[in-house]
Amino acid sequence: MSRKVDSVKDINDSKETWRLAVRIMDVWSVVNNKGIEHLEMIVMDSLGDRIQVLIRHDHLLKWKEVIKENMTCIINNGSVYNNDFQWKVCDHSKKIVFLGGTTMKAIELQNIPPKGYFFKDFGEILQGKCKTDRLEDIIGAVSEINHIQSNTLGKKVVVSVVLKDLKGNCINCNLWEIYGSKFLAYYNDPKNNAAIVILLTHAMYSPVERFVHNAKCMSLSQFCKIKHETLCVTVATTLKFAVSKYEWFYYGCTRCSSKAPNPEKAYECSCGQKVEQPIPRYKIEIYVSNGESKYRFVFWDSECAAILGMTAEFMHNSMVENGEDDPMVYPDELEMLLNKKMAFRVKVQPTFSQASVWKLCDDEAFVKEIENDYIVEDNQSKTEYAKLVPNKENLETSAQTLSASGENDPESIILMTPAKDVVIADKGEEVDFEASGATQL
């Protein structure tokens, strides 16, 4: 009598004689820093339930040429362990490891859905409703290029883009090295004039660690003691606009956030874009406070647009249409930026008595975690620096569980399939992307 097929959702560590009818959704090869290779894959059954599978290096030769992405098959036997991968691709609490006695037979199974994606909603990402150990699929149209870092002075090519979903939600992500170069080649090709859509699989969202990475954590009262430009993380509440002789916006490139040399003249930007008419971009100075301490923060285009839900160009044009052409008049909609308690990642610029906002987050739980666990009233954070910046050994170990997602330091490991990641990109300054985290496609 033939053994019945088990459901993926029922897999537990009570036995090793599981029989699964599945489709191989994704398969990848991982090589650690010692040159040892193993395989990982995701399989799905007819009910749509998925589980991660590991094939160790000692079984690699047996399976490497047999397993093909999108094939359907019957798998018999496998060890079951807790899914302790540092970054998980699916929700199943267990993982399967191939045994010496594992068998697999390719067979056409029409009842299993074809390979697909499980897209994460942009709104949930912006609200921080993402598991820090979960890798997600996302898709969005490229609406803007924030920043381009060329391959010079030892820097890697990084292209920071804004992705927009059908609801108008925007998130920022970075395309590294070969993928950044390929994107620019496609974008700059005059034959490709349609909208560009990017699909990322296994994208990682890690809020706190990346937010504080390579930055000093301190209270606002300590900012006045800083003598040199310093990257800091703090918590503060926005109070009021700091009105100067400059407008609430500046004219910039239509592709990146660089300032236009003359708002009334066409020019070629350093990013390579030929700008016929520069567009308004947010640059708003706001006083923030924490207790009795007060400091001036500069909010840039992407941060303001994310909070306000509209571009500076749209807001400026709306004012002009309503008969208001004075650029010193602050639109009422900008009031949405005030009276908000947020965690800030800023570059403190003591020469100008201000701090430039690189990242921000107003999620209440996130802000509380930063405030309670990292900020103190002296020059030391509550957490040891080693906790904020993982060492190379930890990066190498964890990256073996990442499949195509990898770790966001591409020098820490060797991956046969490049990595993916999602983070809020920095704007307005020359950014060290390796220090601030990135999305690797």
Side-chain angles (χ1 to χ4, degrees), residues 346-370:
V346 298
K347 176 188 280 188
V348 181
Q349 300 166 305
T351 303
F352 306 104
S353 299
Q354 67 180 27
S356 178
V357 177
W358 281 23
K359 295 182 185 179
L360 57 83
C361 180
D362 60 356
D363 177 72
E364 185 177 347
F366 182 93
V367 172
K368 187 174 182 180
E369 184 173 358
I370 294 289

Side-chain angles (χ1 to χ4, degrees), residues 240-247 285-287 296 328-330:
K240 61 181 180 179
F241 299 116
V243 180
S244 66
K245 62 180 180 179
Y246 302 105
E247 300 88 356
E285 298 183 15
I286 300 178
Y287 287 112
R296 187 161 51 99
M328 296 304 297
V329 174
Y330 283 61

Side-chain angles (χ1 to χ4, degrees), residues 26-31 38-42 52-54 85-90 135-137 201-203 397-407 413-420 440:
D26 199 2
V27 59
W28 57 91
S29 174
V30 180
V31 181
H38 70 268
L39 290 181
E40 296 179 22
M41 60 184 183
I42 301 295
Q52 288 182 247
V53 179
L54 173 67
F85 290 123
Q86 185 167 352
W87 286 278
K88 301 172 178 60
V89 182
C90 57
L135 305 176
E136 306 286 359
D137 298 340
T201 61
H202 308 333
T397 303
S398 63
Q400 295 180 34
T401 70
L402 289 183
S403 73
S405 62
E407 179 43 72
I413 55 167
I414 303 173
L415 286 174
M416 301 300 287
T417 308
K420 304 130 185 170
Q440 297 180 12

Side-chain angles (χ1 to χ4, degrees), residues 318-433:
S318 297
M319 290 187 66
V320 173
E321 290 174 2
N322 291 326
E324 183 58 77
D325 59 358
D326 186 349
M328 296 304 297
V329 174
Y330 283 61
D332 291 338
E333 289 83 358
L334 294 182
E335 302 288 334
M336 294 169 58
L337 298 171
L338 304 181
N339 301 313
K340 287 182 173 291
K341 187 174 184 179
M342 294 183 275
F344 295 96
R345 179 182 174 92
V346 298
K347 176 188 280 188
V348 181
Q349 300 166 305
T351 303
F352 306 104
S353 299
Q354 67 180 27
S356 178
V357 177
W358 281 23
K359 295 182 185 179
L360 57 83
C361 180
D362 60 356
D363 177 72
E364 185 177 347
F366 182 93
V367 172
K368 187 174 182 180
E369 184 173 358
I370 294 289
E371 192 172 38
N372 291 345
D373 294 345
Y374 295 95
I375 308 300
V376 291
E377 292 296 331
D378 55 38
N379 289 328
Q380 300 294 325
S381 63
K382 291 183 180 180
T383 311
E384 292 296 328
Y385 190 72
K387 178 181 177 181
L388 307 185
V389 185
N391 60 42
K392 186 174 181 181
E393 180 181 356
N394 289 339
L395 288 176
E396 291 169 347
T397 303
S398 63
Q400 295 180 34
T401 70
L402 289 183
S403 73
S405 62
E407 179 43 72
N408 53 13
D409 182 355
E411 294 182 339
S412 66
I413 55 167
I414 303 173
L415 286 174
M416 301 300 287
T417 308
K420 304 130 185 170
D421 184 8
V422 172
V423 6
I424 303 300
D426 300 333
K427 285 200 60 183
E429 299 286 341
E430 184 68 25
V431 179
D432 182 349
F433 284 93

Side-chain angles (χ1 to χ4, degrees), residues 56 59 62 98-102:
R56 300 193 307 257
H59 295 149
K62 178 180 178 181
F98 272 28
L99 297 165
T102 299

